[in-house]
Amino acid sequence: MDFDEYVRQRGAALVRLGRLLTGDRHQGEDLAQDVLARAFVRWARIAADGAPDAYLRRALVNAAISRWRRPSSREVAMAAPAEVADLTDLGERAAERDAAWRLIRRLPAKQRAAVVLRYYEDLDDAAIAGLLGCSEGTVRSQVKRALDTLRARLVPDGALNGERG
């Protein structure tokens, strides 16, 4: 399969993964574009390996973690947002989904990557460990820590700690 055909078939999935890893639509698109631009140069070798999906997923994860390490890419927390969006016109499911993604975006990069790969990409521990370059036990501990953090930020009635809608 040539590069253009691959991008037509799998490009949207890579952009989605990039968006989930970064927590931002535009940064996810930029991340996927950067990874695909680097992959284009090496496409003959990547395609010959027979597993371009795994290679590009790994490249996306690595690029997302590298971006997170750059001080210029970190979000700066403010005491209160300048303008709060009116969520009253959104459906309950959309509001809950948005709240969940806000919590996930606050996770450290490796924990966020492990959660996204486990629950969005539906990969097992071995595949995630291969993508993140760590052991399966580390994957399990990263997912557990992420889930513990997410649970701690939720209160029993389903509202979010520190956030009002």
Side-chain angles (χ1 to χ4, degrees):
M1 168 181 317
D2 69 345
F3 183 78
D4 291 337
E5 184 179 340
Y6 179 83
V7 173
R8 273 193 298 278
Q9 289 179 4
R10 298 288 301 150
L14 294 173
V15 169
R16 242 185 344 263
L17 178 58
R19 187 190 67 193
L20 293 171
L21 291 171
T22 62
D24 180 79
R25 176 182 170 201
H26 301 292
Q27 287 181 11
E29 290 171 354
D30 289 346
L31 185 72
Q33 183 176 352
D34 291 347
V35 167
L36 287 170
R38 283 182 285 181
F40 177 74
V41 177
R42 300 182 188 98
W43 187 251
R45 185 175 55 94
I46 294 168
D49 184 35
D53 281 338
Y55 180 93
L56 291 171
R57 273 194 201 120
R58 173 71 185 254
L60 276 168
V61 168
N62 289 345
I65 291 170
S66 294
R67 277 189 180 196
W68 176 251
R69 288 181 181 150
R70 284 186 228 140
S72 64
S73 67
R74 294 192 182 152
E75 293 181 14
V76 178
M78 298 172 60
E83 185 178 320
V84 178
D86 182 15
L87 301 178
T88 57
D89 63 328
L90 296 177
E92 186 176 337
R93 289 180 67 195
E96 287 176 359
R97 187 176 335 127
D98 180 57
W101 281 113
R102 280 186 276 143
L103 288 174
I104 291 170
R105 282 195 309 259
R106 291 171 48 195
L107 292 171
K110 285 202 175 195
Q111 288 181 15
R112 184 172 57 242
V115 167
V116 167
L117 292 170
R118 164 70 55 80
Y119 296 105
Y120 183 77
E121 289 289 318
D122 198 29
L123 298 178
D124 61 10
D125 290 341
I128 297 170
L131 288 169
L132 295 178
C134 61
S135 70
E136 292 180 36
T138 301
V139 168
R140 287 189 290 274
S141 70
Q142 291 287 344
V143 170
K144 181 188 182 317
R145 286 182 186 141
L147 294 177
D148 289 347
T149 299
L150 293 172
R151 283 185 193 111
R153 291 179 181 159
L154 294 172
V155 292
D157 66 354
L160 302 174
N161 282 335
E163 296 187 26
R164 303 278 181 228

PDB file of all heavy atoms in Angstrom, residues 100-131:
ATOM      1  N   ALA A 100     -15.421  14.717  31.328  1.00  0.00           N
ATOM      2  CA  ALA A 100     -14.481  13.594  31.407  1.00  0.00           C
ATOM      3  C   ALA A 100     -13.196  13.913  30.642  1.00  0.00           C
ATOM      4  O   ALA A 100     -12.088  13.642  31.132  1.00  0.00           O
ATOM      5  CB  ALA A 100     -15.125  12.324  30.850  1.00  0.00           C
ATOM      6  N   TRP A 101     -13.305  14.516  29.453  1.00  0.00           N
ATOM      7  CA  TRP A 101     -12.102  14.843  28.685  1.00  0.00           C
ATOM      8  C   TRP A 101     -11.287  15.940  29.351  1.00  0.00           C
ATOM      9  O   TRP A 101     -10.068  15.943  29.280  1.00  0.00           O
ATOM     10  CB  TRP A 101     -12.435  15.200  27.240  1.00  0.00           C
ATOM     11  CG  TRP A 101     -12.662  13.964  26.451  1.00  0.00           C
ATOM     12  CD1 TRP A 101     -13.823  13.539  25.902  1.00  0.00           C
ATOM     13  CD2 TRP A 101     -11.699  12.940  26.186  1.00  0.00           C
ATOM     14  NE1 TRP A 101     -13.653  12.319  25.315  1.00  0.00           N
ATOM     15  CE2 TRP A 101     -12.358  11.927  25.465  1.00  0.00           C
ATOM     16  CE3 TRP A 101     -10.362  12.777  26.492  1.00  0.00           C
ATOM     17  CZ2 TRP A 101     -11.708  10.775  25.047  1.00  0.00           C
ATOM     18  CZ3 TRP A 101      -9.713  11.627  26.068  1.00  0.00           C
ATOM     19  CH2 TRP A 101     -10.391  10.645  25.356  1.00  0.00           C
ATOM     20  N   ARG A 102     -11.966  16.856  30.052  1.00  0.00           N
ATOM     21  CA  ARG A 102     -11.211  17.870  30.796  1.00  0.00           C
ATOM     22  C   ARG A 102     -10.391  17.215  31.892  1.00  0.00           C
ATOM     23  O   ARG A 102      -9.250  17.607  32.139  1.00  0.00           O
ATOM     24  CB  ARG A 102     -12.148  18.927  31.376  1.00  0.00           C
ATOM     25  CG  ARG A 102     -12.567  19.957  30.322  1.00  0.00           C
ATOM     26  CD  ARG A 102     -13.375  21.063  30.935  1.00  0.00           C
ATOM     27  NE  ARG A 102     -14.765  20.579  30.987  1.00  0.00           N
ATOM     28  CZ  ARG A 102     -15.621  20.816  31.966  1.00  0.00           C
ATOM     29  NH1 ARG A 102     -15.274  21.550  32.979  1.00  0.00           N
ATOM     30  NH2 ARG A 102     -16.833  20.338  31.923  1.00  0.00           N
ATOM     31  N   LEU A 103     -10.954  16.228  32.547  1.00  0.00           N
ATOM     32  CA  LEU A 103     -10.215  15.512  33.584  1.00  0.00           C
ATOM     33  C   LEU A 103      -9.068  14.704  32.976  1.00  0.00           C
ATOM     34  O   LEU A 103      -7.964  14.678  33.520  1.00  0.00           O
ATOM     35  CB  LEU A 103     -11.149  14.584  34.363  1.00  0.00           C
ATOM     36  CG  LEU A 103     -12.140  15.257  35.299  1.00  0.00           C
ATOM     37  CD1 LEU A 103     -13.083  14.223  35.891  1.00  0.00           C
ATOM     38  CD2 LEU A 103     -11.416  16.012  36.393  1.00  0.00           C
ATOM     39  N   ILE A 104      -9.336  14.048  31.865  1.00  0.00           N
ATOM     40  CA  ILE A 104      -8.302  13.229  31.226  1.00  0.00           C
ATOM     41  C   ILE A 104      -7.147  14.106  30.748  1.00  0.00           C
ATOM     42  O   ILE A 104      -5.980  13.738  30.865  1.00  0.00           O
ATOM     43  CB  ILE A 104      -8.902  12.392  30.083  1.00  0.00           C
ATOM     44  CG1 ILE A 104      -9.822  11.315  30.675  1.00  0.00           C
ATOM     45  CG2 ILE A 104      -7.820  11.764  29.221  1.00  0.00           C
ATOM     46  CD1 ILE A 104     -10.663  10.572  29.673  1.00  0.00           C
ATOM     47  N   ARG A 105      -7.444  15.298  30.228  1.00  0.00           N
ATOM     48  CA  ARG A 105      -6.386  16.199  29.762  1.00  0.00           C
ATOM     49  C   ARG A 105      -5.463  16.637  30.892  1.00  0.00           C
ATOM     50  O   ARG A 105      -4.320  16.991  30.648  1.00  0.00           O
ATOM     51  CB  ARG A 105      -6.986  17.436  29.093  1.00  0.00           C
ATOM     52  CG  ARG A 105      -7.464  17.192  27.697  1.00  0.00           C
ATOM     53  CD  ARG A 105      -7.702  18.485  26.947  1.00  0.00           C
ATOM     54  NE  ARG A 105      -8.528  19.431  27.655  1.00  0.00           N
ATOM     55  CZ  ARG A 105      -9.817  19.644  27.416  1.00  0.00           C
ATOM     56  NH1 ARG A 105     -10.430  18.971  26.481  1.00  0.00           N
ATOM     57  NH2 ARG A 105     -10.493  20.530  28.109  1.00  0.00           N
ATOM     58  N   ARG A 106      -5.958  16.596  32.128  1.00  0.00           N
ATOM     59  CA  ARG A 106      -5.145  17.008  33.275  1.00  0.00           C
ATOM     60  C   ARG A 106      -4.213  15.906  33.766  1.00  0.00           C
ATOM     61  O   ARG A 106      -3.360  16.157  34.621  1.00  0.00           O
ATOM     62  CB  ARG A 106      -6.056  17.466  34.408  1.00  0.00           C
ATOM     63  CG  ARG A 106      -6.772  18.767  34.067  1.00  0.00           C
ATOM     64  CD  ARG A 106      -7.836  19.173  35.045  1.00  0.00           C
ATOM     65  NE  ARG A 106      -7.419  19.126  36.431  1.00  0.00           N
ATOM     66  CZ  ARG A 106      -8.260  19.163  37.459  1.00  0.00           C
ATOM     67  NH1 ARG A 106      -9.554  19.265  37.230  1.00  0.00           N
ATOM     68  NH2 ARG A 106      -7.825  19.114  38.687  1.00  0.00           N
ATOM     69  N   LEU A 107      -4.362  14.699  33.231  1.00  0.00           N
ATOM     70  CA  LEU A 107      -3.483  13.595  33.622  1.00  0.00           C
ATOM     71  C   LEU A 107      -2.082  13.806  33.035  1.00  0.00           C
ATOM     72  O   LEU A 107      -1.931  14.421  31.988  1.00  0.00           O
ATOM     73  CB  LEU A 107      -4.028  12.261  33.105  1.00  0.00           C
ATOM     74  CG  LEU A 107      -5.321  11.747  33.730  1.00  0.00           C
ATOM     75  CD1 LEU A 107      -5.818  10.532  32.952  1.00  0.00           C
ATOM     76  CD2 LEU A 107      -5.115  11.409  35.190  1.00  0.00           C
ATOM     77  N   PRO A 108      -1.051  13.251  33.691  1.00  0.00           N
ATOM     78  CA  PRO A 108       0.286  13.276  33.091  1.00  0.00           C
ATOM     79  C   PRO A 108       0.276  12.563  31.739  1.00  0.00           C
ATOM     80  O   PRO A 108      -0.553  11.686  31.486  1.00  0.00           O
ATOM     81  CB  PRO A 108       1.145  12.516  34.115  1.00  0.00           C
ATOM     82  CG  PRO A 108       0.404  12.630  35.404  1.00  0.00           C
ATOM     83  CD  PRO A 108      -1.060  12.672  35.034  1.00  0.00           C
ATOM     84  N   ALA A 109       1.210  12.923  30.886  1.00  0.00           N
ATOM     85  CA  ALA A 109       1.212  12.451  29.494  1.00  0.00           C
ATOM     86  C   ALA A 109       1.207  10.928  29.380  1.00  0.00           C
ATOM     87  O   ALA A 109       0.448  10.370  28.582  1.00  0.00           O
ATOM     88  CB  ALA A 109       2.410  13.034  28.752  1.00  0.00           C
ATOM     89  N   LYS A 110       2.039  10.233  30.139  1.00  0.00           N
ATOM     90  CA  LYS A 110       2.093   8.770  30.011  1.00  0.00           C
ATOM     91  C   LYS A 110       0.819   8.112  30.529  1.00  0.00           C
ATOM     92  O   LYS A 110       0.350   7.135  29.957  1.00  0.00           O
ATOM     93  CB  LYS A 110       3.320   8.216  30.722  1.00  0.00           C
ATOM     94  CG  LYS A 110       4.584   8.485  29.937  1.00  0.00           C
ATOM     95  CD  LYS A 110       5.679   7.535  30.299  1.00  0.00           C
ATOM     96  CE  LYS A 110       6.854   7.797  29.389  1.00  0.00           C
ATOM     97  NZ  LYS A 110       7.814   6.746  29.395  1.00  0.00           N
ATOM     98  N   GLN A 111       0.254   8.639  31.609  1.00  0.00           N
ATOM     99  CA  GLN A 111      -1.012   8.090  32.100  1.00  0.00           C
ATOM    100  C   GLN A 111      -2.122   8.334  31.095  1.00  0.00           C
ATOM    101  O   GLN A 111      -2.927   7.453  30.824  1.00  0.00           O
ATOM    102  CB  GLN A 111      -1.377   8.715  33.451  1.00  0.00           C
ATOM    103  CG  GLN A 111      -0.517   8.251  34.591  1.00  0.00           C
ATOM    104  CD  GLN A 111      -0.919   8.873  35.913  1.00  0.00           C
ATOM    105  OE1 GLN A 111      -1.994   9.434  36.060  1.00  0.00           O
ATOM    106  NE2 GLN A 111      -0.028   8.761  36.890  1.00  0.00           N
ATOM    107  N   ARG A 112      -2.160   9.535  30.520  1.00  0.00           N
ATOM    108  CA  ARG A 112      -3.182   9.848  29.517  1.00  0.00           C
ATOM    109  C   ARG A 112      -3.030   8.929  28.311  1.00  0.00           C
ATOM    110  O   ARG A 112      -4.005   8.393  27.794  1.00  0.00           O
ATOM    111  CB  ARG A 112      -3.076  11.319  29.102  1.00  0.00           C
ATOM    112  CG  ARG A 112      -4.154  11.747  28.146  1.00  0.00           C
ATOM    113  CD  ARG A 112      -4.160  13.240  27.881  1.00  0.00           C
ATOM    114  NE  ARG A 112      -2.900  13.737  27.371  1.00  0.00           N
ATOM    115  CZ  ARG A 112      -2.133  14.626  27.991  1.00  0.00           C
ATOM    116  NH1 ARG A 112      -2.491  15.123  29.153  1.00  0.00           N
ATOM    117  NH2 ARG A 112      -1.003  15.019  27.456  1.00  0.00           N
ATOM    118  N   ALA A 113      -1.781   8.713  27.870  1.00  0.00           N
ATOM    119  CA  ALA A 113      -1.545   7.828  26.726  1.00  0.00           C
ATOM    120  C   ALA A 113      -2.002   6.406  27.038  1.00  0.00           C
ATOM    121  O   ALA A 113      -2.646   5.757  26.210  1.00  0.00           O
ATOM    122  CB  ALA A 113      -0.064   7.839  26.348  1.00  0.00           C
ATOM    123  N   ALA A 114      -1.694   5.919  28.244  1.00  0.00           N
ATOM    124  CA  ALA A 114      -2.085   4.556  28.614  1.00  0.00           C
ATOM    125  C   ALA A 114      -3.608   4.416  28.637  1.00  0.00           C
ATOM    126  O   ALA A 114      -4.155   3.428  28.145  1.00  0.00           O
ATOM    127  CB  ALA A 114      -1.486   4.187  29.974  1.00  0.00           C
ATOM    128  N   VAL A 115      -4.304   5.414  29.182  1.00  0.00           N
ATOM    129  CA  VAL A 115      -5.768   5.359  29.243  1.00  0.00           C
ATOM    130  C   VAL A 115      -6.374   5.410  27.841  1.00  0.00           C
ATOM    131  O   VAL A 115      -7.282   4.643  27.518  1.00  0.00           O
ATOM    132  CB  VAL A 115      -6.313   6.514  30.130  1.00  0.00           C
ATOM    133  CG1 VAL A 115      -7.812   6.680  29.962  1.00  0.00           C
ATOM    134  CG2 VAL A 115      -5.970   6.252  31.586  1.00  0.00           C
ATOM    135  N   VAL A 116      -5.864   6.312  27.004  1.00  0.00           N
ATOM    136  CA  VAL A 116      -6.394   6.429  25.641  1.00  0.00           C
ATOM    137  C   VAL A 116      -6.160   5.139  24.860  1.00  0.00           C
ATOM    138  O   VAL A 116      -7.053   4.631  24.180  1.00  0.00           O
ATOM    139  CB  VAL A 116      -5.765   7.639  24.916  1.00  0.00           C
ATOM    140  CG1 VAL A 116      -6.043   7.592  23.426  1.00  0.00           C
ATOM    141  CG2 VAL A 116      -6.289   8.932  25.507  1.00  0.00           C
ATOM    142  N   LEU A 117      -4.954   4.591  24.959  1.00  0.00           N
ATOM    143  CA  LEU A 117      -4.653   3.357  24.221  1.00  0.00           C
ATOM    144  C   LEU A 117      -5.469   2.173  24.747  1.00  0.00           C
ATOM    145  O   LEU A 117      -5.888   1.315  23.974  1.00  0.00           O
ATOM    146  CB  LEU A 117      -3.158   3.059  24.282  1.00  0.00           C
ATOM    147  CG  LEU A 117      -2.269   4.051  23.528  1.00  0.00           C
ATOM    148  CD1 LEU A 117      -0.810   3.819  23.859  1.00  0.00           C
ATOM    149  CD2 LEU A 117      -2.509   3.974  22.032  1.00  0.00           C
ATOM    150  N   ARG A 118      -5.719   2.129  26.052  1.00  0.00           N
ATOM    151  CA  ARG A 118      -6.486   1.021  26.635  1.00  0.00           C
ATOM    152  C   ARG A 118      -7.960   1.142  26.290  1.00  0.00           C
ATOM    153  O   ARG A 118      -8.581   0.208  25.790  1.00  0.00           O
ATOM    154  CB  ARG A 118      -6.288   1.012  28.146  1.00  0.00           C
ATOM    155  CG  ARG A 118      -7.275   0.187  28.959  1.00  0.00           C
ATOM    156  CD  ARG A 118      -7.128  -1.327  28.803  1.00  0.00           C
ATOM    157  NE  ARG A 118      -5.817  -1.804  29.087  1.00  0.00           N
ATOM    158  CZ  ARG A 118      -5.313  -2.028  30.299  1.00  0.00           C
ATOM    159  NH1 ARG A 118      -6.045  -1.819  31.354  1.00  0.00           N
ATOM    160  NH2 ARG A 118      -4.097  -2.468  30.441  1.00  0.00           N
ATOM    161  N   TYR A 119      -8.558   2.284  26.561  1.00  0.00           N
ATOM    162  CA  TYR A 119     -10.006   2.384  26.483  1.00  0.00           C
ATOM    163  C   TYR A 119     -10.523   2.954  25.163  1.00  0.00           C
ATOM    164  O   TYR A 119     -11.664   2.714  24.802  1.00  0.00           O
ATOM    165  CB  TYR A 119     -10.549   3.201  27.658  1.00  0.00           C
ATOM    166  CG  TYR A 119     -10.272   2.503  28.964  1.00  0.00           C
ATOM    167  CD1 TYR A 119      -9.277   2.960  29.819  1.00  0.00           C
ATOM    168  CD2 TYR A 119     -10.967   1.358  29.311  1.00  0.00           C
ATOM    169  CE1 TYR A 119      -9.002   2.301  31.007  1.00  0.00           C
ATOM    170  CE2 TYR A 119     -10.687   0.690  30.486  1.00  0.00           C
ATOM    171  CZ  TYR A 119      -9.702   1.162  31.333  1.00  0.00           C
ATOM    172  OH  TYR A 119      -9.428   0.500  32.486  1.00  0.00           O
ATOM    173  N   TYR A 120      -9.708   3.698  24.438  1.00  0.00           N
ATOM    174  CA  TYR A 120     -10.175   4.215  23.152  1.00  0.00           C
ATOM    175  C   TYR A 120      -9.702   3.325  22.009  1.00  0.00           C
ATOM    176  O   TYR A 120     -10.483   2.941  21.152  1.00  0.00           O
ATOM    177  CB  TYR A 120      -9.699   5.652  22.930  1.00  0.00           C
ATOM    178  CG  TYR A 120     -10.223   6.214  21.641  1.00  0.00           C
ATOM    179  CD1 TYR A 120     -11.533   6.654  21.535  1.00  0.00           C
ATOM    180  CD2 TYR A 120      -9.435   6.249  20.504  1.00  0.00           C
ATOM    181  CE1 TYR A 120     -12.033   7.128  20.344  1.00  0.00           C
ATOM    182  CE2 TYR A 120      -9.926   6.727  19.311  1.00  0.00           C
ATOM    183  CZ  TYR A 120     -11.223   7.168  19.237  1.00  0.00           C
ATOM    184  OH  TYR A 120     -11.707   7.621  18.058  1.00  0.00           O
ATOM    185  N   GLU A 121      -8.411   3.010  22.009  1.00  0.00           N
ATOM    186  CA  GLU A 121      -7.880   2.151  20.948  1.00  0.00           C
ATOM    187  C   GLU A 121      -8.103   0.668  21.251  1.00  0.00           C
ATOM    188  O   GLU A 121      -7.860  -0.176  20.400  1.00  0.00           O
ATOM    189  CB  GLU A 121      -6.384   2.413  20.759  1.00  0.00           C
ATOM    190  CG  GLU A 121      -6.071   3.752  20.134  1.00  0.00           C
ATOM    191  CD  GLU A 121      -6.452   3.819  18.668  1.00  0.00           C
ATOM    192  OE1 GLU A 121      -6.213   2.849  17.929  1.00  0.00           O
ATOM    193  OE2 GLU A 121      -7.005   4.857  18.267  1.00  0.00           O
ATOM    194  N   ASP A 122      -8.534   0.322  22.468  1.00  0.00           N
ATOM    195  CA  ASP A 122      -8.850  -1.043  22.884  1.00  0.00           C
ATOM    196  C   ASP A 122      -7.655  -1.984  22.708  1.00  0.00           C
ATOM    197  O   ASP A 122      -7.797  -3.105  22.217  1.00  0.00           O
ATOM    198  CB  ASP A 122     -10.071  -1.558  22.122  1.00  0.00           C
ATOM    199  CG  ASP A 122     -10.706  -2.761  22.803  1.00  0.00           C
ATOM    200  OD1 ASP A 122     -10.602  -2.867  24.030  1.00  0.00           O
ATOM    201  OD2 ASP A 122     -11.288  -3.615  22.094  1.00  0.00           O
ATOM    202  N   LEU A 123      -6.471  -1.512  23.120  1.00  0.00           N
ATOM    203  CA  LEU A 123      -5.266  -2.332  23.035  1.00  0.00           C
ATOM    204  C   LEU A 123      -5.035  -3.045  24.360  1.00  0.00           C
ATOM    205  O   LEU A 123      -5.415  -2.554  25.418  1.00  0.00           O
ATOM    206  CB  LEU A 123      -4.053  -1.465  22.698  1.00  0.00           C
ATOM    207  CG  LEU A 123      -4.095  -0.726  21.357  1.00  0.00           C
ATOM    208  CD1 LEU A 123      -2.850   0.135  21.182  1.00  0.00           C
ATOM    209  CD2 LEU A 123      -4.233  -1.701  20.210  1.00  0.00           C
ATOM    210  N   ASP A 124      -4.393  -4.219  24.296  1.00  0.00           N
ATOM    211  CA  ASP A 124      -4.086  -4.944  25.517  1.00  0.00           C
ATOM    212  C   ASP A 124      -2.776  -4.426  26.118  1.00  0.00           C
ATOM    213  O   ASP A 124      -2.092  -3.588  25.540  1.00  0.00           O
ATOM    214  CB  ASP A 124      -4.015  -6.455  25.257  1.00  0.00           C
ATOM    215  CG  ASP A 124      -2.940  -6.844  24.260  1.00  0.00           C
ATOM    216  OD1 ASP A 124      -2.116  -5.990  23.886  1.00  0.00           O
ATOM    217  OD2 ASP A 124      -2.918  -8.018  23.861  1.00  0.00           O
ATOM    218  N   ASP A 125      -2.442  -4.942  27.316  1.00  0.00           N
ATOM    219  CA  ASP A 125      -1.249  -4.471  28.032  1.00  0.00           C
ATOM    220  C   ASP A 125       0.024  -4.636  27.213  1.00  0.00           C
ATOM    221  O   ASP A 125       0.876  -3.750  27.199  1.00  0.00           O
ATOM    222  CB  ASP A 125      -1.085  -5.231  29.353  1.00  0.00           C
ATOM    223  CG  ASP A 125      -2.153  -4.865  30.368  1.00  0.00           C
ATOM    224  OD1 ASP A 125      -2.783  -3.800  30.202  1.00  0.00           O
ATOM    225  OD2 ASP A 125      -2.344  -5.636  31.326  1.00  0.00           O
ATOM    226  N   ALA A 126       0.153  -5.758  26.524  1.00  0.00           N
ATOM    227  CA  ALA A 126       1.368  -6.012  25.751  1.00  0.00           C
ATOM    228  C   ALA A 126       1.533  -4.997  24.617  1.00  0.00           C
ATOM    229  O   ALA A 126       2.627  -4.472  24.390  1.00  0.00           O
ATOM    230  CB  ALA A 126       1.350  -7.434  25.187  1.00  0.00           C
ATOM    231  N   ALA A 127       0.454  -4.707  23.922  1.00  0.00           N
ATOM    232  CA  ALA A 127       0.521  -3.746  22.814  1.00  0.00           C
ATOM    233  C   ALA A 127       0.824  -2.341  23.333  1.00  0.00           C
ATOM    234  O   ALA A 127       1.626  -1.613  22.743  1.00  0.00           O
ATOM    235  CB  ALA A 127      -0.788  -3.752  22.032  1.00  0.00           C
ATOM    236  N   ILE A 128       0.192  -1.963  24.442  1.00  0.00           N
ATOM    237  CA  ILE A 128       0.440  -0.641  25.012  1.00  0.00           C
ATOM    238  C   ILE A 128       1.878  -0.540  25.492  1.00  0.00           C
ATOM    239  O   ILE A 128       2.550   0.471  25.263  1.00  0.00           O
ATOM    240  CB  ILE A 128      -0.550  -0.345  26.159  1.00  0.00           C
ATOM    241  CG1 ILE A 128      -1.976  -0.317  25.628  1.00  0.00           C
ATOM    242  CG2 ILE A 128      -0.202   0.974  26.850  1.00  0.00           C
ATOM    243  CD1 ILE A 128      -3.041  -0.283  26.710  1.00  0.00           C
ATOM    244  N   ALA A 129       2.367  -1.602  26.139  1.00  0.00           N
ATOM    245  CA  ALA A 129       3.752  -1.609  26.612  1.00  0.00           C
ATOM    246  C   ALA A 129       4.719  -1.441  25.447  1.00  0.00           C
ATOM    247  O   ALA A 129       5.706  -0.702  25.547  1.00  0.00           O
ATOM    248  CB  ALA A 129       4.046  -2.911  27.372  1.00  0.00           C
ATOM    249  N   GLY A 130       4.430  -2.098  24.347  1.00  0.00           N
ATOM    250  CA  GLY A 130       5.279  -1.952  23.163  1.00  0.00           C
ATOM    251  C   GLY A 130       5.268  -0.532  22.626  1.00  0.00           C
ATOM    252  O   GLY A 130       6.302   0.005  22.229  1.00  0.00           O
ATOM    253  N   LEU A 131       4.102   0.106  22.628  1.00  0.00           N
ATOM    254  CA  LEU A 131       4.001   1.476  22.127  1.00  0.00           C
ATOM    255  C   LEU A 131       4.667   2.481  23.056  1.00  0.00           C
ATOM    256  O   LEU A 131       5.285   3.440  22.600  1.00  0.00           O
ATOM    257  CB  LEU A 131       2.536   1.871  21.941  1.00  0.00           C
ATOM    258  CG  LEU A 131       1.821   1.225  20.770  1.00  0.00           C
ATOM    259  CD1 LEU A 131       0.334   1.484  20.847  1.00  0.00           C
ATOM    260  CD2 LEU A 131       2.379   1.758  19.461  1.00  0.00           C
TER     261      LEU A 131
END
